[in-house]
Amino acid sequence: MAPNLKFQEALLVYSLLIDHLSTAVLQLNRELCIEYLNPSAEMMLEVSRRRIYGQDLASAFNEDDASRSALLAAIESGHAFTKREAEITLTTGKTLLCDYNVTPVMGALNNTDSLLIELHPRDRMKRISQEDELIANHQTSKELIRGLAHEIKNPLGGIRGAAQLISRVFDDEGLKDYTQVIIEESDRLRDLVDRLLGPRQLPQYQALNIHRVIERVNQLISVESEGQITLVRDYDPSIPDIIGDESQLIQSVLNVMRNAMQALINQTDNDHKQITISTRTLRQFTIGAKRHRLVCRLSIVDNGPGIPENIMKTLFYPMVSGRPDGTGLGLSIAQSVIHQHNGIIECNSQPERTEFNILIPIETSVTG
């Protein structure tokens, strides 16, 4: 075999190895333009390597001027360095806390030909821990609600039945009005308990396009908001079909979108009310304690007032709401539906930017 052919095969093997690393890796030339990044870097930095090859590092993320100077100094000196707890800002506006290693790559003339940057997100383990806690808390609250529902619905049935029997005995229509109140209020409490329990029908799983779900929700939100809110779409059309229950997913996404819509409508000092809906795929992504080869991320971002800090930790609990007229059931039900699809809903909020991320594995099977 010719030496050049062996060399090319070795390069191909090394490229495949780096492409399958869970560590985000970038290669920069002497002008700090991007020559290569692996899929893990694409996922972490939320960029497409086809679009940013040959562009400046700023097309992937920004840091302070001192850090850029340090990269240029590494090229001149040929010395590697490590930076801890660096705050980098993505082109999407998101800020990440990470460590990164910078290694100069020597060229044929014993000069630095390029820089290799390995990014290690510090918040990944924190996020996984938070997801585990969220899943555990949601499961605990669901079991508690099921127990309470059983204890509440049985007496309610007896109260309603007794009121019906009593109403048959009374000849006075005025007295029957009182028993009718008992019956109606019993029905209202029963309906409330049913809503706490979430969807009553079993999920009907099938292959579906997530964008069809989103567009259906967008139609409903456009009608409900009466044109007060601008909907901005940023879709990745290459996302494969997911396995799910279309009607339940529509309800789940609608609950999240409606939450954002109501927050914006109630905000009187915002003349540019906007909800941005974006979709992306995430590779080798961990949800809770399980790692998935491919995950669909649906992001719903609004420029409203933000969620009060005092309810952030209990946001997905039943009966928790930041609005006086809210029931606090919409997000809890949405989380239950996404859990049935082996996914999770995450939320980050600050004034003028509240982001809900609905994460659903792209798999061939789903557990109920």
Side-chain angles (χ1 to χ4, degrees):
M1 184 179 292
N4 285 341
L5 187 57
K6 288 184 178 180
F7 180 72
Q8 290 175 0
E9 288 184 350
L11 285 178
L12 179 60
V13 170
Y14 293 146
S15 177
L16 288 173
L17 288 173
I18 296 175
D19 278 351
H20 285 80
L21 288 177
S22 59
T23 302
V25 177
L26 296 89
Q27 183 179 356
L28 309 178
N29 64 16
R30 292 181 61 86
E31 287 73 38
L32 301 187
C33 292
I34 298 170
E35 293 186 333
Y36 168 81
L37 72 164
N38 67 350
S40 294
E42 285 185 281
M43 180 183 73
M44 178 180 172
L45 302 176
E46 301 181 13
V47 295
S48 168
R49 55 180 167 182
R50 291 182 179 179
R51 293 183 180 180
I52 66 171
Y53 271 173
Q55 297 187 32
D56 188 82
L57 178 61
S59 63
F61 67 86
N62 283 302
E63 207 183 348
D64 53 49
D65 292 339
S67 299
R68 188 177 182 89
S69 298
L71 293 175
L72 293 171
I75 291 174
E76 296 303 322
S77 66
H79 294 155
F81 71 90
T82 298
K83 186 169 183 180
R84 303 293 184 189
E85 298 187 359
E87 286 192 359
I88 62 174
T89 304
L90 308 186
T91 55
T92 59
K94 185 184 296 183
T95 300
L96 296 181
L97 183 68
C98 65
D99 299 338
Y100 63 78
N101 304 319
V102 177
T103 305
V105 179
M106 307 305 291
L109 300 176
N110 207 28
N111 293 324
T112 302
D113 186 54
S114 59
L115 290 180
L116 198 65
I117 302 179
E118 301 170 71
L119 292 162
H120 305 276
R122 291 289 302 272
D123 55 356
R124 172 177 287 183
M125 294 308 299
K126 180 180 179 182
R127 181 187 61 79
I128 292 173
S129 176
Q130 289 174 337
E131 286 180 357
D132 282 340
E133 182 180 0
L134 180 61
I135 292 171
N137 288 343
H138 188 79
Q139 187 65 32
T140 300
S141 65
K142 186 165 66 173
E143 294 299 326
L144 177 62
I145 289 170
R146 284 177 177 171
L148 285 174
H150 178 74
E151 296 300 324
I152 291 172
K153 291 183 77 171
N154 283 344
L156 275 180
I159 292 170
R160 190 183 192 283
Q164 287 177 318
L165 290 174
I166 293 173
S167 67
R168 295 172 187 170
V169 176
F170 290 148
D171 294 327
D172 189 337
E173 292 297 325
L175 294 177
K176 287 186 176 181
D177 288 343
Y178 293 119
T179 57
Q180 188 61 34
V181 168
I182 297 174
I183 293 170
E184 290 175 356
E185 289 302 296
S186 297
D187 290 342
R188 186 176 67 83
L189 287 174
R190 182 199 60 205
D191 292 341
L192 175 61
V193 171
D194 287 340
R195 290 181 64 195
L196 282 169
L197 292 173
R200 301 178 67 179
Q201 69 276 13
L202 291 175
Q204 302 296 317
Y205 294 119
Q206 60 182 350
L208 58 91
N209 188 317
I210 189 63
H211 299 119
R212 187 173 67 185
V213 171
I214 299 170
E215 282 304 303
R216 176 57 179 159
V217 173
N218 286 345
Q219 290 176 353
L220 296 172
I221 292 296
S222 295
V223 172
E224 291 183 22
S225 64
E226 299 179 343
Q228 298 181 59
I229 296 173
T230 301
L231 300 179
V232 178
R233 296 163 173 84
D234 179 15
Y235 299 160
D236 178 357
S238 67
I239 295 179
D241 286 352
I242 65 173
I243 304 297
D245 184 300
E246 184 170 355
S247 63
Q248 290 193 11
L249 285 175
I250 288 174
Q251 186 62 56
S252 181
V253 176
L254 178 61
N255 287 354
V256 176
M257 287 272 283
R258 188 176 281 151
N259 196 68
M261 178 196 72
Q262 291 167 343
L264 286 168
I265 288 177
N266 293 334
Q267 189 181 22
T268 58
D269 58 347
N270 187 349
D271 296 329
H272 303 284
K273 299 177 173 66
Q274 178 176 295
I275 299 176
T276 302
I277 310 101
S278 64
T279 56
R280 295 291 186 271
T281 53
L282 305 176
R283 299 179 185 277
Q284 301 302 327
F285 193 82
T286 301
I287 298 178
K290 186 175 181 181
R291 190 176 184 87
H292 301 274
R293 184 183 63 83
L294 200 62
V295 168
C296 171
R297 184 188 67 194
L298 164 58
S299 297
I300 299 168
V301 182
D302 70 75
N303 64 342
I307 298 171
E309 188 176 349
N310 62 318
I311 67 171
M312 274 298 295
K313 290 187 177 180
T314 57
L315 187 62
F316 294 101
Y317 285 9
M319 313 304 288
V320 174
S321 176
R323 304 193 322 274
D325 58 341
T327 63
L329 295 177
L331 293 180
S332 175
I333 292 172
Q335 188 74 275
S336 294
V337 169
I338 300 303
H339 278 180
Q340 287 183 338
H341 290 74
N342 294 332
I344 195 169
I345 304 177
E346 300 177 336
C347 178
N348 297 294
S349 182
Q350 58 189 18
E352 299 185 6
R353 183 180 174 85
T354 296
E355 179 177 5
F356 283 88
N357 288 315
I358 300 176
L359 304 166
I360 304 175
I362 301 175
E363 298 174 330
T364 56
S365 63
V366 177
T367 59

